[in-house]
Amino acid sequence: MNTVLSRANSLFAFSLSVMAALTFGCFVTTAFKDRRVPADIHVSKVMLKNVDDFTGPRERSDLGFITFDLSADLQPVFDWNVKQLFLYLSAEYSTKSNSLNQVVLWDKIVLRGENPKLNLRDMKSKYFFFDDGNGLRANKNITLTLSWNVVPNAGILPLVAGSGQVSLPFPDAYETTKSY
Amino acid sequence: MLSIFKSIPSHMDYKGQKLAEQIFQGIILISAVIGFVYGLIIEQFGWTVYIVLVGFAVSCVLTLPPWPMYRKNPLSWQPVIPETSGESSQKPQETLKKKKHK
């Protein structure tokens, strides 16, 4: 500690250690918090088509088009350890050939500082709702779920599943629009 | 260019070094506690980092330059003995030579 450089080294190393301890403290204060919030999903229109699917092994597959409304208040999820939220809407159903199918239809990134109250109307799905085969037609039960991934400043990234679900049957014939 | 910086005296005596270390550790710990509580209250971790950086800057100013308060206990060196050059420097060398031959 006799020279300026030696004192500066000591000071800087101590500051970094203290900063690391503070970051760990930040993680500990929010590690066990429940990140679930009720969300409201409402589907207004569903249309089904049977089209050529070049990514799959067969000639034609079912393709669904969903129009939905989404509202949720995400303000309680944000705290000082949350950088952003990654939301995604997924559809889950079972068919004769596969017992469990999960397809992501739409996603959104909500940064801290943006408006956390979601109120989306008449949203179209962002990604193609292709089925592995023809299992969407006359399917009795397709469940849409909104889940999210919390991206923190420090610590683990919890995946919060299923806040708000809605189940609906799909139309019996192709190229017909079913309204709810 | 480095020689200019090396010629500026930046030493502190031992008590001064201890005082400097206590000062910067205290300042940084206090600013860390204040920053943690303030960040927790306003729900923004960025402010915690800013407050710790302010504490770092304050302790840089207080402990890096050799202020006079760190030089209050200088070491008391023995007074310089004036050299009676020729004789005293030769005698140790002779005894050294004898030991080597053995």
Side-chain angles (χ1 to χ4, degrees):
Chain A
M1 296 277 285
N2 202 21
T3 59
V4 174
L5 283 181
S6 165
R7 289 195 288 272
N9 178 27
S10 188
L11 177 61
F12 186 61
F14 186 70
S15 302
L16 275 187
S17 304
V18 164
M19 205 59 236
L22 283 183
T23 308
F24 181 73
C26 176
F27 158 63
V28 161
T29 56
T30 60
F32 303 108
K33 189 176 154 182
D34 188 14
R35 305 266 183 199
R36 283 183 300 214
V37 176
D40 196 31
I41 314 172
H42 178 253
V43 177
S44 50
K45 241 179 1 202
V46 171
M47 206 221 337
L48 209 47
K49 280 190 181 175
N50 192 251
V51 296
D52 291 332
D53 180 12
F54 301 110
T55 63
R58 62 188 61 77
E59 284 280 328
R60 298 176 84 86
S61 299
D62 280 356
L63 178 59
F65 294 89
I66 298 188
T67 310
F68 60 93
D69 302 334
L70 187 57
S71 64
D73 181 14
L74 300 170
Q75 184 55 43
V77 185
F78 281 100
D79 56 17
W80 73 330
N81 200 17
V82 174
K83 181 173 170 283
Q84 65 192 21
L85 289 185
F86 177 72
L87 311 166
Y88 59 98
L89 183 76
S90 59
E92 192 171 316
Y93 59 98
S94 68
T95 60
K96 281 199 291 284
S97 48
N98 305 313
S99 63
L100 176 63
N101 303 279
Q102 285 170 328
V103 183
V104 173
L105 302 178
W106 170 90
D107 54 32
K108 181 174 170 52
I109 291 181
V110 179
L111 296 171
R112 186 158 56 142
E114 286 179 1
N115 186 13
K117 296 188 188 347
L118 283 182
N119 202 357
L120 307 163
R121 297 262 164 267
D122 285 336
M123 299 288 296
K124 293 204 288 271
S125 57
K126 226 195 230 186
Y127 307 111
F128 288 125
F129 189 179
F130 262 120
D131 182 40
D132 181 29
N134 300 309
L136 284 183
R137 186 163 66 105
N139 196 319
K140 293 280 182 296
N141 194 7
I142 299 201
T143 308
L144 294 180
T145 308
L146 180 69
S147 334
W148 52 77
N149 217 343
V150 179
V151 179
N153 279 328
I156 49 181
L157 285 79
L159 179 60
V160 178
S163 284
Q165 300 183 7
V166 66
S167 297
L168 51 116
F170 260 37
D172 294 334
Y174 294 125
E175 309 276 342
T176 58
T177 308
K178 190 166 180 180
S179 299
Y180 297 90
Chain B
M1 201 178 97
L2 262 177
S3 57
I4 303 178
F5 290 111
K6 280 190 181 170
S7 66
I8 303 175
S10 67
H11 61 88
M12 296 176 176
D13 53 52
Y14 291 125
K15 289 242 171 12
Q17 291 173 23
K18 178 176 168 190
L19 178 64
E21 182 164 346
Q22 285 172 341
I23 285 180
F24 81 69
Q25 282 178 348
I27 290 182
I28 290 184
L29 281 177
I30 289 177
S31 66
V33 168
I34 294 177
F36 190 76
V37 170
Y38 186 63
L40 190 58
I41 290 176
I42 68 167
E43 297 271 309
Q44 282 188 33
F45 190 62
W47 276 94
T48 302
V49 178
Y50 295 148
I51 292 179
V52 172
L53 285 180
V54 164
F56 175 77
V58 167
S59 33
C60 269
V61 169
L62 275 184
T63 63
L64 285 185
W67 299 113
M69 63 177 167
Y70 302 125
R71 291 184 177 176
K72 287 222 179 109
N73 297 62
L75 291 170
S76 53
W77 295 105
Q78 293 282 341
V80 176
I81 300 177
E83 286 189 10
T84 52
S85 49
E87 301 165 359
S88 55
S89 57
Q90 277 181 12
K91 279 183 188 171
Q93 284 178 11
E94 286 173 2
T95 52
L96 269 178
K97 283 180 187 169
K98 285 182 187 171
K99 281 180 188 172
K100 276 183 191 171
H101 285 306
K102 286 179 185 173

